[in-house]
């Protein structure tokens, strides 16, 4: 068995996927790299086949009809033979030194009698034109140099959510609850890091800047204009996360886990609400109201908590002053954190 399977969802990625793949090759025989060609129309399939031929036993090319980012992640999981599973998007890459530290740790982790469920590490916003690269780290929140559970975590700040970039899951953990992301939907990486959380028992944090998150292409899914054009998909993901929280609410016996899941749900709820506020139409106002009503319907307790928070009061309101203050806060957050 391989130590780690890394899936690379790839759609029309010919211009940048080589950089991603090359950054992962130093993992050698311990790593399985699955290049998932999601129905690409450019040279992506040929590049995937080229690497498979050049590195047999390490790289596999998987070709499928277009199903979106989520289905590419699903395909990677279905085909994974590694003990652990990681997703690296085709326009991103990993740091070489941190990569070796990650693999050295995972080699020891597989020997544990009680298996590790989730490894966390830092990620870096590689934003085009930015002199300062924002690093998202967790050393003020998570115990270091030892295994831990949810009861030992601290309070997460607004910029410190656990994203797809920061996690490596145990493969069989994901398979144990029939994990599957929706097809033809953007922003499902939020579901990827949210759904498994109630099933995660044993964690470890390595304070290394492992994942390099490229941000700045005009056609990138997280570009603000693109997100607004796909607001229906952002809302769909938001509602799925509300459903997941409501489904697991009764089993969240650990206060720290419940607090974090509410924290992350609040982040997504606020992002969706702000995007709808920026659209500034009667239709978008109705969509924002519907989203908050959906939260109230599925989880009255979560609704009560989120609507009473500072962010909730501003992003739920139709007041002009609230709208102005929200937009001002959003611009500050964009500059501070470095997202697009």
């Amino acid at each position: 068995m391989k130590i780690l399977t890394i899936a690379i969802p790839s759609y029309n990625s010919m211009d940048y996927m080589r950089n991603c793949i090359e950054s992962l090759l130093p993992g050698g025989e311990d790593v399985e790299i699955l290049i998932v060609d999601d129905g690409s129309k450019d040279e992506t399939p040929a590049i995937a086949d080229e690497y498979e031929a050049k590195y047999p036993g390490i790289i596999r090319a998987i070709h499928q009809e277009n199903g979106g980012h989520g289905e590419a992640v699903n395909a990677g999981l279905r085909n994974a033979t590694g003990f652990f599973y990681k997703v690296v998007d085709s326009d991103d890459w990993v740091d070489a030194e941190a990569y070796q530290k990650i693999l050295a740790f995972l080699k020891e982790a597989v020997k544990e009698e009680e298996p590790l469920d989730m490894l966390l590490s830092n990620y870096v916003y590689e934003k085009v034109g930015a002199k300062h690269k924002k690093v998202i780290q967790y050393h003020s929140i998570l115990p270091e140099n030892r295994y831990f559970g949810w009861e030992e975590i601290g309070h997460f700040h607004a910029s410190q959510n656990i994203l797809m970039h920061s996690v490596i899951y145990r493969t069989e953990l994901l398979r144990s609850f029939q994990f599957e992301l929706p097809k033809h939907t953007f922003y499902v990486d939020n579901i990827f890091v949210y759904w498994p959380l109630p099933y995660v028992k044993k964690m470890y944090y390595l304070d290394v800047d492992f994942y390099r998150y490229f941000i700045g292409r005009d056609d990138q899914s997280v570009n603000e204009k693109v997100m607004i054009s796909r607001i229906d998909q952002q809302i769909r993901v938001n509602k799925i996360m509300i459903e997941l929280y409501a489904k697991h609410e009764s089993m969240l016996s650990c206060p720290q886990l419940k607090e974090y899941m509410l924290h992350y749900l609040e982040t997504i709820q606020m992002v969706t609400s702000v995007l709808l506020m920026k659209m500034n139409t009667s239709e978008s106002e109705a969509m924002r109201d519907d989203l908050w009503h959906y939260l109230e319907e599925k989880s009255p307790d979560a609704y009560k908590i989120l609507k009473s928070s500072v962010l909730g009061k501003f992003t739920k309101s139709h007041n002009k002053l609230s709208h102005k203050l929200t937009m001002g806060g959003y611009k500050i957050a964009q500059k501070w954190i470095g997202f697009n």
Side-chain angles (χ1 to χ4, degrees):
M1 178 182 286
K2 297 280 189 176
I3 299 293
L4 176 64
T5 293
I6 300 177
I8 308 176
S10 304
Y11 177 73
N12 292 349
S13 304
M14 59 178 285
D15 292 335
Y16 38 79
M17 63 189 291
R18 289 183 185 276
N19 181 54
C20 174
I21 298 166
E22 293 290 338
S23 77
L24 298 171
L25 284 172
E29 295 289 342
D30 291 323
V31 176
E32 170 185 57
I33 302 171
L34 303 179
I35 306 172
V36 185
D37 160 39
D38 188 42
S40 299
K41 306 300 182 185
D42 65 358
E43 295 302 310
T44 295
I47 295 172
D49 290 340
E50 171 196 327
Y51 272 97
E52 180 182 57
K54 192 174 181 180
Y55 298 97
I58 295 177
I59 293 182
R60 277 195 287 155
I62 298 171
H63 303 286
Q64 63 180 30
E65 292 183 6
N66 181 258
H69 187 263
E71 182 58 15
V73 173
N74 294 338
L77 184 59
R78 284 193 297 268
N79 287 274
T81 64
F83 194 91
F84 295 102
Y85 185 66
K86 174 73 179 171
V87 178
V88 177
D89 283 336
S90 58
D91 53 352
D92 299 332
W93 63 95
V94 301
D95 177 81
E97 184 179 348
Y99 190 22
Q100 294 307 316
K101 291 179 180 179
I102 292 278
L103 290 175
F105 171 75
L106 292 179
K107 286 180 187 179
E108 295 302 313
V110 296
K111 301 174 185 177
E112 289 287 311
E113 184 175 343
E114 181 185 349
L116 172 70
D117 294 322
M118 181 170 70
L119 174 66
L120 299 110
S121 58
N122 308 331
Y123 65 95
V124 181
Y125 279 101
E126 293 284 352
K127 187 171 185 179
V128 173
K131 293 181 180 179
H132 173 68
K133 306 296 185 182
K134 179 72 175 179
V135 179
I136 305 300
Q137 46 73 24
Y138 309 96
H139 59 70
S140 62
I141 306 165
L142 305 176
E144 294 183 57
N145 304 315
R146 64 182 178 87
Y147 294 98
F148 60 90
W150 289 112
E151 68 280 357
E152 299 179 79
I153 71 170
H155 178 73
F156 283 76
H157 299 294
S159 66
Q160 291 176 302
N161 287 308
I162 299 169
L163 298 190
M164 184 183 76
H165 321 313
S166 47
V167 300
I168 294 175
Y169 287 123
R170 180 166 57 87
T171 306
E172 289 305 318
L173 173 79
L174 297 178
R175 290 171 175 164
S176 68
F177 56 91
Q178 288 76 53
F179 174 84
E180 187 172 12
L181 295 175
K183 296 181 179 181
H184 300 294
T185 307
F186 286 90
Y187 316 119
V188 293
D189 51 315
N190 293 300
I191 301 171
F192 181 79
V193 290
Y194 196 70
W195 188 356
L197 296 181
Y199 303 95
V200 168
K201 305 302 179 188
K202 187 175 180 180
M203 295 173 278
Y204 199 98
Y205 168 55
L206 277 179
D207 187 11
V208 294
D209 301 342
F210 176 46
Y211 195 103
R212 302 299 169 133
Y213 175 31
F214 178 80
I215 189 166
R217 288 201 331 271
D218 289 339
D219 65 339
Q220 205 165 9
S221 62
V222 291
N223 178 284
E224 183 179 283
K225 292 180 180 178
V226 175
M227 290 188 74
I228 288 175
S229 71
R230 296 170 176 161
I231 193 65
D232 60 321
Q233 297 184 52
Q234 174 70 21
I235 291 172
R236 183 186 181 194
V237 167
N238 198 150
K239 288 187 173 182
I240 289 173
M241 290 177 66
I242 290 171
E243 293 164 6
L244 287 168
Y245 180 83
K247 176 183 176 181
H248 295 102
E249 196 168 4
S250 62
M251 65 183 281
L252 300 178
S253 57
C254 177
Q256 289 90 334
L257 172 57
K258 186 172 185 177
E259 178 186 324
Y260 176 70
M261 291 193 71
L262 272 171
H263 167 79
Y264 194 65
L265 180 59
E266 178 183 35
T267 300
I268 300 304
Q269 188 86 1
M270 301 314 145
V271 168
T272 311
S273 296
V274 167
L275 291 172
L276 288 167
M277 290 175 81
K278 287 183 75 68
M279 291 172 68
N280 200 27
T281 65
S282 57
E283 181 183 8
S284 66
E285 283 194 7
M287 293 163 76
R288 183 155 53 101
D289 287 341
D290 174 72
L291 180 65
W292 282 94
H293 290 151
Y294 195 80
L295 175 62
E296 183 179 23
E297 175 190 338
K298 294 295 181 180
S299 177
D301 288 343
Y303 172 77
K304 188 181 298 184
I305 293 169
L306 296 195
K307 78 164 186 175
S308 301
S309 71
V310 174
L311 288 174
K313 288 177 180 177
F314 281 117
T315 56
K316 186 177 181 296
S317 171
H318 291 286
N319 181 278
K320 289 185 178 180
L321 178 60
S322 295
H323 186 281
K324 187 175 181 180
L325 291 172
T326 299
M327 291 301 103
Y330 176 70
K331 288 180 180 178
I332 292 172
Q334 275 184 313
K335 188 172 182 180
W336 174 47
I337 299 174
F339 61 85
N340 211 20

